[in-house]
Amino acid sequence: MTSTTLFASSELRNIAVATAALVTVAGLLLVVANPSFASRPLAAIAIVASTLFAILSFRSWPAETALVLLTVFVFTNLSEVLVRYHGLPSLLQLVVLPLGVLAWLVTRRTSVAALLTHPLTIALAAWSLMIFFSSLRASHPELTDARLSSSLKALAVYLLVALLVSSVTHVRLMVVSILVAGAAVSILPILQNLSGDYDSSFGGFARVELAHLYGDVFEQRVAGPLGDPNFFAQLLLIPIPFAVLYASIERRIGVRALYYLAAAIVLLALMLTYSRGAIVALAVLALLMMITLRVRWRRLAVTMGVLILALLAFRSELANRIATMEQLVVPGAASYADSSVQKRRLLAATAWTMFLDRPLAGVGAGNFSVHYDEHSERVGSSSRLYDEPGGDHFPHSLPLEIAAESGLVGLILFGSIIVIAFVSLRRVGRVVDRADTLSITAAGLRIGIAGYLVAALFLHAEFQRSLWMLFGLIPALQSLGEQKAQESPS
């Protein structure tokens, strides 16, 4: 069995350089955030200049530095945090151009052509094109334009990742970046919980939300850099399978322990979100990881039981919150009505009504909220009493949101994206050895995306750049897998 070399000296050097570049950029941003030092235009210039310097000054490994920067920016939601908490322009928008130029310079033209014709690229581009055309019939096209802008930015992230990842070293480096970023944004809320001090948000990277858990119980739910506990929990599902699967092929005890430590830190932060959907997704993750690692069914059953007991014993509040999910399946099952469950039932029924009214193309991307009042009145629910007329509403279910806003066209397109992604990853596992880094990464990616999508059954479309960033790894893994298969003796 081949051992992964994630912490080889050259890769540690790459991570150190990328971290130094990130610190340099962050330092400049903190300086220009002070009005006494610079204005917004100067801040924008400083961001672009410092990013170019960080990338181009390390001529031996510019692609590696750029890849780490991009991964950390997306996974930690750095750009939005700096905009919201420090009054700076969008960092991601400013660095996309220099990163794009770099990706073009370091990538072979044949690779660019292969990427642009890859089925996943075509499907993702078609998704953005569908959103564009939906603005032509939407009652509020400005909302559709905002959704289109978000989709195009996510497409840019996908293309950059796919172009920058051109070797197995790059694959391992990106996985390490995800693990480091995941552990970093998880440690902060854990420290908050241990100290009981939630006054500091650590510059916007450890936000919290005092929210209803069950009955009349309210508790602090950690929300990380995303500002929403449920979406933060969904994000934290991604690093866990990478950590566990990479540990399974690592022979060095110390490095293996680091992988498990990263998984444990992320898992603890995930539980502090009290996200019911993420707990369901976590159970799916555990099952898929054990199947992938070929754990025997008896041990699988025992392990799943231990995991469930550990989650329930973690905090009684978590166990009681999970119990409220029974009301989703059996209305009135509990002695009290959970308001969030009742509201989600109303949102789901409203989204379904919208879909039935316009089954082909929906009401228009981003237009669910503006059509909510007229359709929710037809559904009827006691939770309707808590609504504010004209307020923002979301279906809290990605499939239902797509159905309501984009109809069958959107469902078919999104389904195609997922099918293409999983088929491509499956092919990687077939052309390289099961213990190979590429195969393990593909397996971790399959499980991570599956967990993300299970959580998305309870969440609407938001913060999807992290998902599209993972999609960017797929063409790269497939290409590297095919190269490796051709080089191997038959």
Side-chain angles (χ1 to χ4, degrees):
M1 184 176 291
T2 305
S3 173
T4 176
T5 57
L6 269 168
F7 286 85
S9 59
S10 61
E11 295 179 31
L12 279 177
R13 179 188 60 188
N14 289 339
I15 296 175
V17 168
T19 303
L22 181 58
V23 171
T24 301
V25 174
L28 284 172
L29 294 177
L30 290 176
V31 171
V32 299
N34 190 324
S36 64
F37 283 93
S39 63
R40 280 179 174 271
L42 290 179
I45 294 173
I47 294 171
V48 175
S50 59
T51 304
L52 284 172
F53 173 79
I55 293 172
L56 299 178
S57 61
F58 304 105
R59 288 175 293 178
S60 300
W61 51 91
E64 289 86 343
T65 306
L67 183 61
V68 172
L69 287 171
L70 180 62
T71 303
V72 171
F73 287 171
V74 173
F75 198 89
T76 63
N77 200 31
L78 178 61
S79 183
E80 191 270 342
V81 169
L82 292 174
V83 170
R84 179 184 294 268
Y85 281 84
H86 303 284
L88 295 171
S90 173
L91 177 65
L92 192 58
Q93 293 183 34
L94 292 170
V95 301
V96 160
L97 180 59
L99 289 179
V101 171
L102 174 67
W104 180 264
L105 292 176
V106 301
T107 307
R108 298 192 304 270
R109 299 291 82 83
T110 53
S111 299
V112 174
L115 172 62
L116 295 179
T117 56
H118 193 281
L120 186 57
T121 305
I122 295 173
L124 292 172
W127 176 262
S128 296
L129 193 62
M130 177 208 68
I131 296 176
F132 169 75
F133 281 114
S134 81
S135 67
L136 302 179
R137 53 182 168 70
S139 60
H140 287 66
E142 70 280 2
L143 298 176
T144 306
D145 291 341
R147 185 68 61 82
L148 176 62
S149 175
S150 178
S151 179
L152 291 176
K153 291 173 185 176
L155 182 60
V157 170
Y158 161 82
L159 292 172
L160 285 173
V161 170
L163 290 173
L164 289 171
V165 177
S166 58
S167 68
V168 177
T169 299
H170 293 165
V171 172
R172 292 195 294 260
L173 189 58
M174 185 171 175
V175 170
V176 167
S177 300
I178 291 174
L179 294 179
V180 171
V185 296
S186 297
I187 287 176
L188 297 179
I190 292 174
L191 293 176
Q192 286 177 322
N193 185 264
L194 291 175
S195 65
D197 181 10
Y198 294 95
D199 292 335
S200 173
S201 66
F202 292 95
F205 288 97
R207 286 175 266 180
V208 294
E209 177 183 290
L210 181 62
H212 172 258
L213 294 187
Y214 62 91
D216 58 355
V217 176
F218 285 75
E219 184 62 77
Q220 297 284 0
R221 298 180 62 190
V222 301
L226 302 187
D228 183 284
N230 294 316
F231 286 111
F232 183 44
Q234 184 184 37
L235 181 72
L236 294 180
L237 291 166
I238 295 173
I240 295 175
F242 282 130
V244 173
L245 294 185
Y246 266 64
S248 71
I249 64 169
E250 179 56 61
R251 293 179 177 177
R252 292 168 292 180
I253 297 177
V255 177
R256 190 188 310 158
L258 288 176
Y259 286 132
Y260 284 129
L261 178 61
I265 291 173
V266 173
L267 179 60
L268 181 57
L270 187 150
M271 289 191 287
L272 291 173
T273 65
Y274 294 101
S275 172
R276 292 167 293 196
I279 295 298
V280 174
L282 183 63
V284 174
L285 280 186
L287 180 62
L288 293 177
M289 285 189 291
M290 292 174 189
I291 292 175
T292 301
L293 295 174
R294 297 182 179 178
V295 176
R296 293 184 178 180
W297 285 104
R298 182 175 299 177
R299 184 180 300 177
L300 173 61
V302 172
T303 304
M304 290 294 291
V306 171
L307 177 62
I308 293 172
L309 290 175
L311 288 174
L312 296 180
F314 173 68
R315 283 195 173 187
S316 60
E317 293 90 346
L318 180 60
N320 290 329
R321 180 162 173 80
I322 294 174
T324 62
M325 296 187 68
E326 183 181 8
Q327 297 182 51
L328 283 173
V329 181
V330 185
S335 58
Y336 59 88
D338 187 286
S339 59
S340 65
V341 171
Q342 296 299 318
K343 182 60 182 290
R344 285 175 181 253
R345 292 175 64 85
L346 170 62
L347 291 167
T350 303
W352 183 249
T353 301
M354 285 189 199
F355 170 68
L356 293 179
D357 280 356
R358 301 184 186 181
L360 183 59
V363 298
N367 275 243
F368 175 86
S369 188
V370 296
H371 291 274
Y372 172 79
D373 287 335
E374 61 175 290
H375 288 82
S376 60
E377 289 177 355
R378 293 162 50 187
V379 173
S381 169
S382 59
S383 63
R384 186 75 175 85
L385 300 174
Y386 299 99
D387 288 341
E388 293 184 10
D392 291 333
H393 302 280
F394 306 96
H396 286 290
S397 172
L398 182 59
L400 286 174
E401 182 177 51
I402 294 173
E405 296 186 346
S406 305
L408 289 172
V409 174
L411 288 172
I412 292 172
L413 269 178
F414 189 77
S416 300
I417 291 172
I418 301 305
V419 170
I420 292 170
F422 279 98
V423 169
S424 299
L425 288 171
R426 184 67 177 172
R427 288 175 179 172
V428 176
R430 289 178 176 175
V431 298
V432 293
D433 184 78
R434 181 172 173 269
D436 185 89
T437 299
L438 295 178
S439 180
I440 287 294
T441 304
L445 202 53
R446 284 200 307 269
I447 298 172
I449 293 175
Y452 187 99
L453 293 174
V454 170
L457 294 174
F458 311 96
L459 294 171
H460 56 278
E462 196 72 35
F463 304 111
Q464 290 199 52
R465 288 178 194 168
S466 54
L467 176 62
W468 290 50
M469 179 181 72
L470 296 180
F471 284 156
L473 262 176
I474 295 175
L477 286 175
Q478 194 171 359
S479 176
L480 292 170
E482 291 171 355
Q483 292 176 21
K484 198 161 193 175
Q486 293 175 357
E487 294 169 358
S488 300
S490 55

